[in-house]
Amino acid sequence: KPGSVVMGVPPTQAVLRTLLLPVIADVRELASMVHLQVSRDLPFRMDEAVVDFKVRRQINPVAVPSGEKIEALPAPKLEVLVAAVKTEVVEAWRQTAEMAGVKLSALGLLPYANARCVEACHVADGNEAFALISLRPDEANIDVIGEQALLFSRGAQIRPGYDAEHADPNSSEPPPQAPKNEQEWAEEYVTLVTIEVVRTLHAYSGLEPNSPVGKVGVSGATGFENATLQALGKRVGRPCALLD
């Protein structure tokens, strides 16, 4: 008999923000501040959102001498990763579990599951940042993990054969696709994934210049993992390996 399950929301369905907040011991006060800050730049209303957060670390400023005196230190800050999804997204996952005949005991963020997976597999070297590329037929998730925590996450839709010229922007139907044979489809898929990975690594390095990605891992069951691994090995200039 099926029991309870935990499911993970992919980053393409969530809004992720990193906030720097004052150090607050009371988690309820911290939650109120998180809601206040994140409500300012959500693409949807707060009454339509489900918001959760995780404290990544406390940042303590280091004294830097200025001439003959040491400037007063600013107050320590908490670095907080915030995830927000629409209420309808949560409800869709709840209905999915119900239709499958299982009890949804928790709904988490899929990149955090990936961070735990990397930790359990011992594939990262110490505190060095590790990028995990998770491939799916229609999307790629790129998670940067370091110090046993999620540092950065981005999801990208991968649609070989997308015909932008003939797509109807007002239609909810998928855009028309140019006919392709299997080899062309695979080559375009790998090319699109490689572009998105390079973009993500550039974006991450701009935010975290002191924690560069040392290794890249590829996981998935699309059949394109080995080809993606070879393409990334030529482009990213870092050791790449298949994560089983």
Side-chain angles (χ1 to χ4, degrees):
K1 295 181 180 180
S4 62
V5 298
V6 177
M7 291 181 173
V9 177
T12 50
Q13 294 184 357
V15 175
L16 299 179
R17 294 288 185 271
T18 299
L19 303 179
L20 289 179
L21 302 174
V23 177
I24 301 174
D26 189 328
V27 69
R28 290 172 297 181
E29 290 185 22
L30 183 60
S32 296
M33 185 167 291
V34 166
H35 280 240
L36 178 64
Q37 292 285 339
V38 80
S39 65
R40 297 173 180 174
D41 63 345
L42 280 183
F44 41 85
R45 301 198 311 268
M46 276 297 289
D47 59 2
E48 299 176 342
V50 177
V51 179
D52 204 352
F53 65 94
K54 184 175 181 66
V55 176
R56 272 187 49 199
R57 58 180 174 172
Q58 179 172 320
I59 300 175
N60 298 309
V62 178
V64 178
S66 177
E68 297 181 355
K69 64 177 182 178
I70 296 178
E71 298 290 338
L73 291 177
K77 295 284 188 179
L78 290 180
E79 188 177 79
V80 180
L81 180 67
V82 185
V85 298
K86 277 193 169 185
T87 306
E88 62 190 41
V89 171
V90 175
E91 187 57 33
W93 284 90
R94 207 190 304 269
Q95 291 176 7
T96 299
E98 184 178 345
M99 292 171 64
V102 296
K103 177 185 177 183
L104 183 61
S105 62
L107 186 62
L109 188 63
L110 190 58
Y112 256 103
N114 292 338
R116 295 294 300 275
C117 179
V118 167
E119 179 185 352
C121 293
H122 303 289
V123 293
D125 294 332
N127 293 329
E128 185 179 58
F130 180 92
L132 178 62
I133 319 303
S134 306
L135 301 183
R136 296 187 173 192
D138 57 352
E139 67 181 10
N141 296 328
I142 303 109
D143 304 314
V144 180
I145 299 153
E147 300 180 7
Q148 301 178 354
L150 180 67
L151 304 180
F152 190 83
S153 182
R154 180 171 173 267
Q157 289 189 323
I158 306 297
R159 295 180 291 185
Y162 180 84
D163 190 354
E165 292 184 3
H166 299 92
D168 181 0
N170 300 315
S171 174
S172 59
E173 295 296 318
Q177 294 182 342
K180 290 180 177 290
N181 60 41
E182 188 173 343
Q183 182 177 351
E184 290 176 329
W185 188 276
E187 289 175 354
E188 186 171 347
Y189 180 94
V190 171
T191 299
L192 292 174
V193 169
T194 303
I195 291 171
E196 295 299 339
V197 171
V198 171
R199 283 178 178 169
T200 302
L201 294 180
H202 279 311
Y204 167 76
S205 63
L207 294 173
E208 297 278 357
N210 298 322
S211 301
V213 170
K215 293 172 64 177
V216 175
V218 177
S219 70
T222 63
F224 304 138
E225 285 71 28
N226 285 319
T228 301
L229 196 64
Q230 294 176 12
L232 288 175
K234 298 175 182 178
R235 286 290 304 273
V236 301
R238 300 169 177 86
C240 299
L242 195 64
L243 183 67
D244 187 355

